[in-house]
Amino acid sequence: MRVAFYAPMKSPNHPVPSGDRLMARLLIRALELAGHEVEVASEIRTYAATPEAAAALAPAISAEDERLRLKWQSAPRPELWFCYHPYYKSPDPFGPAISAEFAIPYVTAEASYAAKRDGTGWAAQQQRVGEAVLQAAVNICFTDRDRVGLSATFPAARLAGLKPFIDAALFEALPPTPDPRRLVTVAMMRAGDKMESYAMLAKALRLIESRTWSLSVIGDGPMRHEVQVLFAGLSGRIEWLGALGAGEIAKVLGRGGIYVWPGCGEAYGLAYLEAQAAGLPVVAQATAGVPAVVEAGATGLLTPDGDVAAYAAAVAALLENGETRDVMGQAARRFVLEERSLATAARALDGILRESAGTGARE
């Protein structure tokens, strides 16, 4: 089946790495592994920080819409439109209308709707998202939190669940050689939730400064200096590795002992799955979408939202109890390699499309 794939928030071909870009690429690979032909329909990014910025995108959106329609007058048309991550700041202005015109299924993944934004200038964008969710043959949700949110707002919407996943091939090929005292984290250095998580991590590590540990930090970004300031006084125990490629990240994780990232406001966090695939137990907060990727008490420890002391105590507990750490690390690796792999996701995704959208890969 020919699939037109569109990610209005960030194209899978965008030059800046992010979890959003990674998941878009993973979905494309899962679709292809299931036997579908996938084409990125458009590189137009509809993300807008303000309602005024959203309105300014109208000419570019209109031109792109015309280009797509002209293209498919002669080229083979898609048989399904797949939109990843539409929300009020980056709705899908193309897929719903094109799907209706071509009489093809429209599918979303990780769609979200924030009712509280209706009265803050975003009503027009919100309406686009709501109409798309209701039109969709199926809306694929990665977390129970997202599924409950869509169901409560749109009871008539057709929903299905697909658990977050990664391509674990790199990790499967590298047997872990853990240093039990080495903590590892992987995260961009930018304002907002990321900075809040770094701040919480720094506070927690100060509470257990008397214990033996080191921290390897993989990541970079516009707030690198501010992040490093947060850890002032602990600098002799921090290894700042900067941005690394996927292969190097896998190697660093494989040499780690515990993955530490509070996950403030985390949608779910693919980095948690990568760390577990490398055999690291996770210490995070039981907040937002984190419980969708870490099995509390089995593959890691999840602490109450905002409780720095509890978070520090959880890290200390795994530092002090080698047996628990090892058991959790082994369980974490099995969890990802067996349950959250690309192959597993490809089968599940194809099943959703066959059942909900009435489609399937050509036999």
Side-chain angles (χ1 to χ4, degrees):
M1 179 178 61
R2 292 186 298 275
V3 177
F5 186 96
Y6 179 52
M9 169 66 177
K10 181 180 282 188
S11 166
N13 301 320
H14 195 281
V16 178
S18 68
D20 212 76
R21 187 187 75 168
L22 176 56
M23 179 49 78
R25 292 179 172 185
L26 285 168
L27 284 167
I28 289 174
R29 293 182 64 187
L31 287 165
E32 291 175 338
L33 189 58
H36 303 285
E37 301 173 25
V38 183
E39 176 188 6
V40 175
S42 174
E43 299 288 345
I44 289 287
R45 189 182 189 204
T46 66
Y47 174 80
T50 66
E52 294 74 22
L57 291 172
I61 288 172
S62 178
E64 181 69 352
D65 185 69
E66 182 178 0
R67 182 191 72 83
L68 291 171
R69 293 172 189 277
L70 286 173
K71 171 185 175 180
W72 287 322
Q73 284 181 5
S74 56
R77 293 179 175 181
E79 296 166 292
L80 180 142
W81 184 283
F82 192 110
C83 178
Y84 169 60
H85 202 182
Y87 80 118
Y88 75 97
K89 286 189 175 181
S90 58
D92 179 358
F94 312 117
I98 288 175
S99 297
E101 180 180 331
F102 293 171
I104 62 174
Y106 179 73
V107 172
T108 78
E110 204 177 334
S112 64
Y113 188 94
K116 64 183 180 181
R117 303 295 180 183
D118 287 339
T120 59
W122 291 103
Q125 301 286 88
Q126 288 270 84
Q127 183 177 353
R128 275 184 169 176
V129 174
E131 290 173 352
V133 167
L134 288 171
Q135 177 183 332
V138 64
N139 297 278
I140 299 169
C141 303
F142 293 143
T143 69
D144 290 339
R145 177 181 181 236
D146 287 349
R147 187 167 186 162
V148 169
L150 282 185
S151 179
T153 308
F154 304 107
R158 293 167 287 274
L159 309 177
L162 178 67
K163 296 184 183 301
F165 63 96
I166 61 169
D167 182 353
L170 274 175
F171 303 95
E172 197 167 15
L174 289 172
T177 56
D179 174 350
R181 300 293 174 181
R182 181 180 296 277
L183 313 178
V184 184
T185 199
V186 183
M188 293 283 288
M189 297 175 179
R190 60 172 183 250
D193 291 333
K194 300 297 186 189
M195 195 65 180
E196 187 178 342
S197 282
Y198 272 117
M200 182 174 177
L201 179 59
K203 291 176 183 177
L205 292 181
R206 290 185 191 284
L207 294 179
I208 59 170
E209 192 172 357
S210 62
R211 290 171 172 79
T212 303
W213 56 263
S214 62
L215 172 66
S216 297
V217 180
I218 300 172
D220 208 339
M223 300 196 73
R224 178 180 179 123
H225 173 70
E226 290 83 352
V227 169
Q228 291 179 329
V229 168
L230 290 172
F231 292 84
L234 298 172
S235 57
R237 305 169 77 169
I238 314 295
E239 180 183 33
W240 302 100
L241 297 175
L244 298 178
E248 289 303 310
I249 291 174
K251 290 177 183 177
V252 173
L253 287 171
R255 296 193 296 266
I258 305 168
Y259 188 77
V260 292
W261 184 244
C264 300
E266 199 77 61
Y268 40 87
L270 295 177
Y272 289 124
L273 291 177
E274 292 178 344
Q276 291 172 95
L280 276 68
V282 167
V283 181
Q285 296 178 98
T287 185
V290 176
V293 291
V294 181
E295 295 198 323
T299 69
L301 300 177
L302 300 183
T303 62
D305 190 9
D307 192 333
V308 176
Y311 189 85
V315 176
L318 289 185
L319 284 170
E320 294 169 0
N321 193 323
E323 183 178 354
T324 298
R325 184 181 60 246
D326 291 346
V327 168
M328 281 191 169
Q330 293 163 12
R333 186 168 168 85
R334 286 195 303 271
F335 166 61
V336 177
L337 298 186
E338 295 176 7
E339 300 181 32
R340 301 301 183 88
S341 69
L342 180 62
T344 299
R347 290 190 294 270
L349 180 55
D350 191 50
I352 290 170
L353 297 183
R354 287 176 181 272
E355 179 178 351
S356 303
T359 61
R362 290 190 179 90
E363 303 297 338

